[in-house]
Amino acid sequence: MGRLLGQAALIVLLAAPALAAPRDTMSLDTGWQVRLDPADAGAIKAHPREARWLPASVPGSVQQDLIAAHRVPDPFIGTNEGAIQWVGLSDWQFRTSLTVTSAMLARDHLDLVFDGLDTFATVRVNGTVLLTGDNAHRRWRADAKALLKPGANEVLVTIASPIRHLQPMVLAEKNPLPGEYDSAFGDEPKGKQTSPYIRKPKYQYGWDWGPRIVTIGLWRPARLEAWDDARLDRFRVAQEALTDTEARLTAHATVVADRAEAVTIRAIVTTPDGRTLTAERQASVAAGRNDVSVPLSITQPQRWQPVGYGAQPLYTVAATLAAKGEVVDQARRQIGLRTVTLDRKDGAFGFVVNGTPIFAKGANLIPFDSFPARVTAQTMQSLLTAARDVNMNMIRVWGGGYYLDDSFYEMADRMGLMVWQDFMFGGAVTPPDAAFRENVRVEADEQVARLGDHPSIVIWTGNNEVLSGWENWSDRKAYKKAIGPDGQERIGTGMAVLFDRVLRGAVTANSPGTPYMPGSPSSDYEGPVDTDANGDRHFWDVWSGSKPVENYLDSCPRFMSEYGFQSMPAMATIRGFAGKGPLAADSAVMKAHQKFLAGEGNARLQFYIDQRLRPAKDFADFVYLTQVNQAQAIDLAARHHRACRPVTMGSLYWQLNDVWPSISWASVDYDGRWKLLHYAARRFFAAQAIVAEHKDGATRVTLVSDATTPTPARWRLTVRDMAGAVLSTREEAATLAPLSAATVATLPDATLFGDAAPAQSYAVAELFVGDRRVSRVLVDRLAPKDMALPDPGIVTTWSGDSVTLTARNLARDVMLDVGAFTGGQPSDNGFDLLPGESVTVRLPAAARKTLTIRTLAR
């Protein structure tokens, strides 16, 4: 809102203010400096150089500034994470100089606005306190006019260490609130975490996939806003009704006025094909906040559809606020017209968009970086494109991070990617006091008002694992026992009020057409949480519980919103953080970048390799085998979820991305390189897919279709031996019903494989639409390590920036491993080749020097 101007331009415009001048905005994102707070004597004694001012980035963090100034090492490299911990344990000051003219002071208001203060911040202007902040997820605004003077003015922001600020209170508690992950650096005693008590991105305190970097700074833009009679504080567009012939909308404008006066709100809608329609309303506003609504009607509306179900037409709604006949403020929204409901009948959990039941296919999104301010639009665009390109239609924005920038949701709108949006609660039990809930109420109201118009957001959920943890986790049960019945009632009631009333109320008020659930996983208080029978599930028996990957086949949940399996990142990514020396899974640097089980998670990778695959030949081969295991495990689970339709209506694996270069559950590593899992997702999330599950001595074949119309098809099941001979073939025609999964055969081993030896034979299940094979999966009766896989005899032939691979014999899980090459990645990877089969892959010719072809053959 408003106009973004340089300081000089602002001064010129304000030289002769009108009676109703427009709001003007001046960015305050340059000219900042940072130093240790002079009152933090201990930090200054330990780090005297940082007592002097050095350049600061806004938006940013002091950690970024110190890295840029080479005062601390890059925590993403080697084992440097520990060397930056002192920064988050110290208090800091940020300052800038603001030049003000008498013409500027003639304006009625000069507001300082901070879109993100991280976190316990005091803002002073010329030595006098203007505002204090205590929530990194909120915008902070205060009128600084009374504290400003002509000429240079100092704006000083002091930000306290969140750990040191809260620690005396936490240590004094007999039973501190259960948190998330204990610090590995000794700055907080085990089980006495400060993070439950603060409104700050929780992942910055460390997670089982990310480092502990407790950021401090002005992490989102700052600005000066000059205005007179009135301004628009908010503008949103509510969809009241939608039919094929008409969309009825209401434009809601929140007007902040100095005094009672008449204003005019005008709303101009631009349709996807460029037509415009205008509506306006005159209203009398009082001093303070006023809500003014303008009804709108769009004939022959075009509906926004999820990717794969139609187009994504978007409408622009522009608003102007006029006072005394002059436009004083303006705002703009991009919206999409769609209906979305959450099917909850008899415990179901399924999204219905524009009347179509959608099977949600996708992944969980964690923050893009430990330092949010350095995330670029290109980074977000690349990752969302990678999701869409492998047939995903949903991304879950996980609750331990932060509310993302508007541009992220605009990209999702354009791509047709549905967004599952958590409120920012990561797992810790929340404080029961009313002041905490009020702080969150303001945060939630602001964030849903900012984001609620995006058609991509199809659900808001109150938290990640807070309520399910309270119900099921052993440490929560011990805590409840320690605090007794009265304490349980106090804490439990506080969470119920927060998640069932406060956050639900924010969605109802600001985005009433979007479903809400109090948490994930959740049954919406209908019964036990995190079960197959009701609501969504987070399933971690596989990987965290060390259970076999075949356990994914044991049940059909209503919606699987979390499940995952770890792997190593690409070798080029590993070299980027580990350097050029010898590599080993149990080396200090590899354990430093493995956060599961406090660095011991690489043993879990080895456990599953030993359980399922062959021994690794070297470290690079170990990396390959971890990626094969990950891809096979999630492929098995995702296809099973799809075969369970309509009982199961969603499969979101953990996780899409990394927050730093690490060993994790991501399918795209921190440097943007696809693991084998991400390539596999393109196959198991295809619009039409075949599922062939071998269990209990039989193979069940299921055909899946996301199409909204019947699809003529045929399926084929071929049994081969390891010499390449075809032992049997069965093929049948089928019509894939719309939005369906149908089991077409269940074949005992004796029927399908006959007397062929299990280690020497396999089945190939294929689905064809017309002459095109749309899906294929191989079926084994034994674990891959027990199969008698032959030497594949792969021959490569290059032609420009493409390479053709031809296999003489069966080749399982073929990986084009480009090693340390950084100039691009293969267009396909991790596929199977049957005897005599060829596949051509796009790959820069320069990768030829480092290319290694890997398979599961010994």
Side-chain angles (χ1 to χ4, degrees):
M1 294 184 289
R3 293 176 291 168
L4 186 61
L5 302 171
Q7 183 169 328
L10 178 67
I11 295 171
V12 172
L13 283 173
L14 297 183
L19 292 177
R23 173 163 58 157
D24 287 307
T25 299
M26 180 175 69
S27 172
L28 297 180
D29 289 349
T30 59
W32 288 86
Q33 297 175 304
V34 65
R35 69 176 180 185
L36 283 168
D37 183 352
D40 193 345
I44 290 175
K45 182 178 180 180
H47 306 278
R49 293 178 64 200
E50 281 64 51
R52 299 187 292 274
W53 293 105
L54 68 148
S57 55
V58 173
S61 66
V62 65
Q63 284 90 343
Q64 291 171 255
D65 301 327
L66 293 173
I67 294 169
H70 304 290
R71 302 290 182 87
V72 295
D74 187 339
F76 286 15
I77 304 300
T79 58
N80 291 338
E81 181 189 353
I84 204 170
Q85 296 306 308
W86 69 271
V87 182
L89 295 169
S90 306
D91 302 336
W92 297 87
Q93 288 186 336
F94 297 78
R95 75 174 181 184
T96 192
S97 180
L98 174 61
T99 301
V100 175
T101 68
S102 56
M104 295 169 69
L105 291 170
R107 299 298 298 265
D108 289 349
H109 300 273
L110 293 174
D111 289 355
L112 279 178
V113 185
F114 300 91
D115 286 340
L117 295 172
D118 191 3
T119 297
F120 293 117
T122 301
V123 179
R124 292 178 173 85
V125 176
N126 294 325
T128 300
V129 173
L130 174 69
L131 66 86
T132 58
D134 61 356
N135 187 329
H137 300 300
R138 285 176 55 182
R139 173 180 294 143
W140 298 93
R141 172 192 292 271
D143 192 342
K145 179 180 176 180
L147 302 180
L148 294 169
K149 65 182 188 301
N153 294 260
E154 183 186 64
V155 178
L156 183 72
V157 182
T158 303
I159 303 182
S161 161
I163 296 171
R164 287 178 48 193
H165 181 83
L166 290 169
Q167 202 161 57
M169 177 195 70
V170 174
L171 295 180
E173 290 272 353
K174 181 180 179 182
N175 296 294
L177 293 172
E180 283 117 353
Y181 288 90
D182 285 323
S183 172
F185 300 99
D187 51 312
E188 293 185 301
K190 302 293 184 184
K192 295 182 179 291
Q193 300 172 16
T194 56
S195 65
Y197 300 87
I198 190 173
R199 295 306 298 142
K200 172 179 171 61
K202 298 307 180 71
Y203 78 104
Q204 294 173 346
Y205 289 83
W207 218 267
D208 58 2
W209 37 255
R212 184 176 175 91
I213 303 177
V214 183
T215 56
I216 289 175
L218 285 70
W219 75 283
R220 278 186 161 152
R223 60 190 175 276
L224 178 71
E225 292 187 358
W227 59 283
D228 294 321
D229 301 65
R231 63 175 175 86
L232 284 172
D233 187 62
R234 288 182 183 173
F235 177 66
R236 63 182 183 86
V237 181
Q239 179 183 288
E240 308 295 345
L242 178 61
T243 68
D244 290 340
T245 58
E246 182 189 26
R248 286 189 285 112
L249 312 175
T250 302
H252 292 277
T254 301
V255 179
V256 176
D258 273 348
R259 61 190 69 83
E261 64 178 314
V263 299
T264 300
I265 299 290
R266 174 176 293 179
I268 303 171
V269 179
T270 303
T271 67
D273 53 7
R275 294 180 294 113
T276 61
L277 61 93
T278 302
E280 68 176 41
R281 179 180 174 187
Q282 295 182 342
S284 296
V285 297
R289 296 173 63 87
N290 304 263
D291 293 324
V292 181
S293 60
V294 181
L296 299 165
S297 176
I298 299 174
T299 59
Q300 304 302 313
Q302 302 177 50
R303 292 178 186 248
W304 181 93
Q305 298 282 6
V307 60
Y309 295 86
Q312 293 78 44
L314 297 171
Y315 293 76
T316 300
V317 185
T320 60
L321 168 67
K324 298 184 177 66
E326 298 289 336
V327 173
V328 297
D329 211 347
Q330 56 189 339
R332 184 179 299 269
R333 285 286 196 178
Q334 183 174 272
I335 66 169
L337 305 176
R338 55 99 178 103
T339 61
V340 57
T341 58
L342 185 65
D343 177 13
R344 294 284 293 120
K345 183 178 179 181
D346 298 326
F349 195 107
F351 293 92
V352 181
V353 182
N354 297 320
T356 302
I358 308 292
F359 189 98
K361 304 177 297 186
N364 289 261
L365 182 84
I366 63 172
F368 293 92
D369 200 289
S370 293
F371 305 109
R374 69 182 185 187
V375 176
T376 65
Q378 181 179 359
T379 297
M380 294 188 289
Q381 179 82 30
S382 176
L383 198 61
L384 288 180
T385 300
R388 183 199 59 191
D389 287 352
V390 298
N391 299 308
M392 293 186 187
N393 59 27
M394 176 174 279
I395 297 297
R396 175 183 174 226
V397 179
W398 168 78
Y402 56 92
Y403 305 95
L404 298 171
D405 294 342
D406 295 80
S407 58
F408 170 86
Y409 302 93
E410 292 167 1
M411 294 173 192
D413 293 342
R414 292 192 297 270
M415 292 186 191
L417 286 169
M418 297 181 290
V419 173
W420 170 318
Q421 179 67 52
D422 282 359
F423 283 97
M424 291 301 118
F425 292 88
V429 174
T430 55
D433 56 282
F436 180 86
R437 288 197 299 274
E438 174 60 18
N439 196 349
V440 173
R441 183 197 66 78
V442 177
E443 166 197 321
D445 185 60
E446 175 185 308
Q447 295 293 350
V448 183
R450 176 174 71 93
L451 300 175
D453 289 348
H454 290 284
S456 55
I457 299 179
V458 296
I459 188 171
W460 288 83
T461 49
N463 65 80
N464 170 79
E465 297 183 352
V466 176
L467 297 177
S468 61
W470 180 250
E471 184 173 310
N472 296 325
W473 294 355
S474 59
D475 68 326
R476 271 54 171 169
K477 291 178 180 179
Y479 175 76
K480 287 188 280 189
K481 183 178 180 180
I483 62 177
D486 291 343
Q488 290 183 50
E489 178 70 16
R490 187 170 66 95
I491 299 291
T493 299
M495 288 193 292
V497 172
L498 176 62
F499 297 122
D500 194 40
R501 288 168 49 186
V502 174
L503 299 185
R504 192 188 299 271
V507 176
T508 300
N510 295 293
S511 189
T514 306
Y516 173 83
M517 289 287 281
S520 178
S522 176
S523 63
D524 204 7
Y525 300 103
E526 292 178 354
V529 300
D530 207 11
T531 70
D532 289 333
N534 194 324
D536 66 315
R537 283 219 67 185
H538 292 188
F539 183 81
W540 287 104
D541 286 3
V542 178
W543 182 262
S544 294
S546 299
K547 297 294 178 63
V549 299
E550 289 75 20
N551 280 35
Y552 284 131
L553 305 179
D554 288 347
S555 64
C556 291
R558 309 314 299 266
F559 192 109
M560 189 67 86
S561 50
E562 272 193 31
Y563 63 102
F565 201 97
Q566 270 201 3
S567 76
M568 290 275 173
M571 280 297 297
T573 301
I574 292 172
R575 284 299 182 192
F577 70 75
K580 297 180 179 181
L583 295 171
D586 60 355
S587 67
V589 67
M590 297 307 296
K591 292 173 73 171
H593 287 255
Q594 164 64 275
K595 294 300 181 180
F596 179 65
L597 295 180
E600 299 302 324
N602 291 338
R604 187 67 50 86
L605 292 170
Q606 186 65 58
F607 168 82
Y608 275 107
I609 289 175
D610 293 342
Q611 185 182 86
R612 303 189 69 251
L613 307 179
R614 59 166 173 78
K617 300 169 185 176
D618 53 30
F619 182 81
D621 195 49
F622 174 79
V623 170
Y624 159 73
L625 293 173
T626 69
Q627 292 201 17
V628 169
N629 250 341
Q630 181 189 41
Q632 288 187 354
I634 303 305
D635 185 295
L636 182 75
R639 288 182 193 266
H640 177 70
H641 298 153
R642 298 188 70 189
C644 286
R645 182 175 186 159
V647 173
T648 304
M649 286 301 293
S651 182
L652 309 179
Y653 67 73
W654 186 272
Q655 62 207 57
L656 178 62
N657 63 311
D658 274 328
V659 75
W660 77 320
S662 67
I663 301 109
S664 80
W665 296 265
S667 62
V668 179
D669 73 24
Y670 178 75
D671 289 340
R673 298 185 176 97
W674 292 17
K675 300 182 185 180
L676 295 186
L677 168 58
H678 206 74
Y679 292 98
R682 186 158 51 199
R683 297 184 278 273
F684 61 67
F685 280 153
Q688 284 84 33
I690 191 167
V691 183
E693 298 176 347
H694 185 266
K695 183 181 180 184
D696 299 331
T699 298
R700 184 181 68 148
V701 180
T702 304
L703 307 181
V704 178
S705 178
D706 290 336
T708 57
T709 56
T711 305
R714 58 189 171 91
W715 64 275
R716 183 166 67 203
L717 199 57
T718 306
V719 177
R720 288 175 172 258
D721 65 18
M722 292 301 175
V726 174
L727 304 182
S728 67
T729 301
R730 63 184 64 218
E731 185 170 331
E732 294 183 13
T735 297
L736 308 181
L739 308 170
S740 69
T743 297
V744 293
T746 300
L747 303 170
D749 287 350
T751 301
L752 178 59
F753 292 98
D755 58 2
Q760 297 284 344
S761 59
Y762 60 97
V764 182
E766 299 171 287
L767 177 64
F768 299 87
V769 174
D771 294 330
R772 186 170 65 95
R773 187 183 69 208
V774 298
S775 182
R776 182 173 80 181
V777 64
L778 273 59
V779 183
D780 296 323
R781 286 175 282 170
L782 303 176
K785 69 177 182 177
D786 297 321
M787 297 297 291
L789 296 174
D791 179 353
I794 294 177
V795 175
T796 59
T797 305
W798 284 85
S799 177
D801 287 338
S802 65
V803 58
T804 299
L805 285 71
T806 303
R808 183 177 68 250
N809 299 311
L810 173 66
R812 296 297 300 271
D813 297 279
V814 179
M815 181 187 194
L816 289 82
D817 184 352
V818 298
F821 179 71
T822 59
Q825 56 188 350
S827 60
D828 197 7
N829 219 341
F831 44 80
D832 298 318
L833 289 175
L834 300 182
E837 190 173 30
S838 296
V839 66
T840 298
V841 176
R842 296 188 306 277
L843 181 65
R848 186 172 182 175
K849 296 179 180 178
T850 62
L851 179 64
T852 300
I853 304 298
R854 302 186 186 278
T855 76
L856 277 186
R858 293 175 184 271

